[in-house]
Amino acid sequence: MKVKEIMDKNFIGVDLNMTIVDASIKMESHKKFTTPVLDSKNTLIGWITSLDVTRGLRENHKYVKDIMHSTEEIVDLHQDEPARLAVLAAAQHKLVSIPVLDDDGKVVGVVRTFDIVKTLSKLYEIKVTNIFKAMSTELKGVSWDELMEASAIVTKRETGKRVTAKEYEQRIKNSTFGEAIWATGGLEKFFVGLIAIGELVIARKVAKARK
Amino acid sequence: MKVKEIMDKNFIGVDLNMTIVDASIKMESHKKFTTPVLDSKNTLIGWITSLDVTRGLRENHKYVKDIMHSTEEIVDLHQDEPARLAVLAAAQHKLVSIPVLDDDGKVVGVVRTFDIVKTLSKLYEIKVTNIFKAMSTELKGVSWDELMEASAIVTKRETGKRVTAKEYEQRIKNSTFGEAIWATGGLEKFFVGLIAIGELVIARKVAKARK
């Protein structure tokens, strides 16, 4: 996944000679704590936060250019960089938003931490059923029922508890990846379980083909 | 994991009768875009953001109480709630910070989105090599080299880029589960890749046995 896939394209910008009062009105109406300072071609030339604005208003500065941070102080990302760099930058520099540039240094979006949280939590909140669906699509020639049967057998083997294919299906319908990790005792164990199921289902497929 | 394990205990607070000017100086010096409004016992009685402050300064309001949001408008969390509720609240309400309360409604911390990002990203810092080691142990009769060869073939098939088994091994040695998920575009895709590798390695094993 690339930075451009998680960035917000509906960002706002202010310009160098905008008054601080106008910039504050714009930021408030769009509920943005930070905004890039852009020239007429959308090139990034600075950055202001609402804390720069409060100081500017208090100290009677007039223009955005009087309070902005220069580009040297700004952490930015290129739109084609891996999205995880946005995660690392936000965590490391304690940022709430990061401007995203194209090859010409033009701002094409802004990555916001709550969007990162949303993306990361989607991952965590993903239904276990989806993983099995992906598995079932990948394992051509294996039906969903065969996959559930194999899962029930592996569960019995690993936990000692008998479970039917139907019960297994019901269980994964109601649980998320996050819950499954806790339930199985960690990410590696969760994967080992999935791999065991994959192996068994393939072995059964091969055995069937031989008959 | 509970909310109290991911919250920042070094939060600041302002009080009802503090001037907006003093509140803005405090928020700027601590670099906080948001802060709870607290009484003398640290009970949560309101919330202000730096955007409320810019409006307050511009419109010549005087005190924190003139610009603050009431407790009804605030999303808060209890310290003993599961940490994943903080994740869901931040993503759903697009929040940069959430106050954390104890049984008496006193603020004991603040959860910030970049801390959530840090926690979530740590969860996925497990080495990809570990997952492959688990896979190799589970797939009895398949050597590590055979697994790397199958991985290189699947990578070529899925990305179009040629990679040797050695290069693949080097790549997973240096990457984490989190990186792999971001790189492949999501958990399902990552897992589909693993299944494809598992399927191929078993198919090769079967073909060899037949010779």
Side-chain angles (χ1 to χ4, degrees):
Chain A
M1 202 183 296
K2 290 181 173 182
V3 166
K4 63 183 165 195
E5 291 166 64
I6 59 165
M7 73 187 184
D8 179 5
K9 285 172 198 158
N10 293 317
F11 60 95
I12 59 163
V14 293
D15 75 78
L16 219 54
N17 295 310
M18 194 180 228
T19 64
I20 296 173
V21 167
D22 284 346
S24 77
I25 293 170
K26 191 168 186 179
M27 291 167 79
E28 286 161 30
S29 69
H30 290 87
K31 296 187 177 176
K32 303 294 183 202
F33 288 125
T34 64
T35 173
V37 183
L38 304 170
D39 69 8
S40 59
K41 287 172 176 167
N42 266 12
T43 314
L44 183 68
I45 49 176
W47 187 259
I48 59 170
T49 75
S50 52
L51 295 173
D52 301 319
V53 175
T54 58
R55 184 178 57 81
L57 289 170
R58 239 183 35 245
E59 295 176 355
N60 289 311
H61 293 291
K62 180 126 197 226
Y63 297 107
V64 163
K65 64 184 169 194
D66 304 327
I67 57 163
M68 75 177 190
H69 299 273
S70 68
T71 48
E72 291 84 53
E73 296 174 69
I74 309 171
V75 175
D76 57 42
L77 291 162
H78 187 282
Q79 60 175 345
D80 291 322
E81 284 185 293
R84 53 172 286 278
L85 292 188
V87 177
L88 296 179
Q92 189 189 339
H93 301 288
K94 300 194 166 197
L95 301 171
V96 301
S97 47
I98 305 166
V100 181
L101 309 178
D102 66 8
D103 288 338
D104 304 322
K106 283 176 190 159
V107 178
V108 288
V110 171
V111 173
R112 304 184 191 282
T113 39
F114 45 69
D115 289 324
I116 298 178
V117 169
K118 206 171 189 171
T119 309
L120 286 176
S121 76
K122 260 188 212 156
L123 181 63
Y124 201 71
E125 292 296 313
I126 187 174
K127 289 270 172 207
V128 173
T129 326
N130 289 9
I131 300 174
F132 278 86
K133 277 185 191 150
M135 201 161 158
S136 155
T137 311
E138 183 63 30
L139 296 169
K140 287 156 199 86
V142 172
S143 73
W144 177 258
D145 286 345
E146 284 166 340
L147 191 59
M148 289 303 108
E149 272 163 37
S151 302
I153 293 167
V154 169
T155 302
K156 167 78 170 59
R157 201 167 72 195
E158 291 185 359
T159 65
K161 283 174 202 155
R162 184 174 297 277
V163 55
T164 68
K166 275 285 155 222
E167 282 163 354
Y168 191 89
E169 185 176 11
Q170 202 53 42
R171 191 186 294 178
I172 60 168
K173 237 178 211 163
N174 297 324
S175 73
T176 64
F177 175 59
E179 289 163 357
I181 289 180
W182 292 118
T184 51
L187 192 61
E188 284 131 312
K189 285 190 186 159
F190 175 73
F191 272 99
V192 162
L194 284 180
I195 291 159
I197 292 166
E199 194 187 8
L200 182 64
V201 92
I202 293 164
R204 284 160 69 107
K205 186 172 104 176
V206 170
K208 229 185 232 173
R210 277 187 181 161
K211 273 183 200 161
Chain B
M1 203 184 299
K2 289 182 173 182
V3 166
K4 62 182 165 196
E5 291 167 64
I6 59 165
M7 73 186 183
D8 179 5
K9 285 172 199 158
N10 292 317
F11 60 96
I12 60 162
V14 292
D15 74 77
L16 218 55
N17 295 311
M18 194 180 228
T19 64
I20 295 172
V21 167
D22 284 347
S24 79
I25 293 170
K26 190 168 188 179
M27 290 167 80
E28 286 162 33
S29 69
H30 290 87
K31 295 187 178 177
K32 303 294 183 201
F33 288 125
T34 63
T35 174
V37 182
L38 305 171
D39 69 9
S40 59
K41 286 174 178 168
N42 267 9
T43 313
L44 183 68
I45 49 177
W47 187 259
I48 59 171
T49 76
S50 52
L51 295 173
D52 301 319
V53 174
T54 57
R55 184 177 58 81
L57 289 171
R58 240 185 32 247
E59 296 177 354
N60 290 312
H61 294 291
K62 181 126 198 229
Y63 297 106
V64 164
K65 64 183 170 195
D66 304 326
I67 58 164
M68 75 177 192
H69 299 273
S70 68
T71 48
E72 291 84 52
E73 294 175 69
I74 308 171
V75 175
D76 58 40
L77 291 162
H78 188 281
Q79 60 176 347
D80 291 323
E81 285 185 293
R84 52 177 281 278
L85 292 188
V87 176
L88 296 179
Q92 189 191 337
H93 301 289
K94 299 194 165 195
L95 301 171
V96 301
S97 45
I98 304 166
V100 181
L101 309 178
D102 66 8
D103 289 338
D104 303 322
K106 283 176 191 158
V107 177
V108 288
V110 171
V111 174
R112 302 184 193 283
T113 40
F114 44 70
D115 290 324
I116 296 179
V117 169
K118 208 172 188 169
T119 307
L120 285 178
S121 70
K122 258 190 216 152
L123 270 181
Y124 299 107
E125 287 303 303
I126 180 173
K127 290 272 172 205
V128 172
T129 326
N130 290 8
I131 298 172
F132 276 85
K133 277 184 191 149
M135 198 160 160
S136 157
T137 311
E138 184 65 30
L139 296 168
K140 285 157 199 85
V142 172
S143 74
W144 178 259
D145 287 345
E146 285 167 339
L147 190 59
M148 289 302 108
E149 272 163 40
S151 302
I153 293 167
V154 168
T155 303
K156 167 80 169 59
R157 201 167 71 195
E158 289 184 359
T159 66
K161 283 174 200 153
R162 187 174 294 278
V163 57
T164 67
K166 274 287 153 216
E167 283 163 353
Y168 190 89
E169 185 176 11
Q170 203 52 43
R171 191 185 294 175
I172 60 166
K173 238 178 208 163
N174 297 324
S175 74
T176 63
F177 174 60
E179 288 165 356
I181 285 180
W182 288 105
T184 51
L187 186 64
E188 287 126 310
K189 287 188 185 161
F190 174 74
F191 193 68
V192 161
L194 282 184
I195 288 293
I197 292 166
E199 197 181 7
L200 182 64
V201 92
I202 292 165
R204 284 160 67 105
K205 186 171 101 176
V206 170
K208 230 185 233 174
R210 280 185 180 164
K211 272 182 196 163

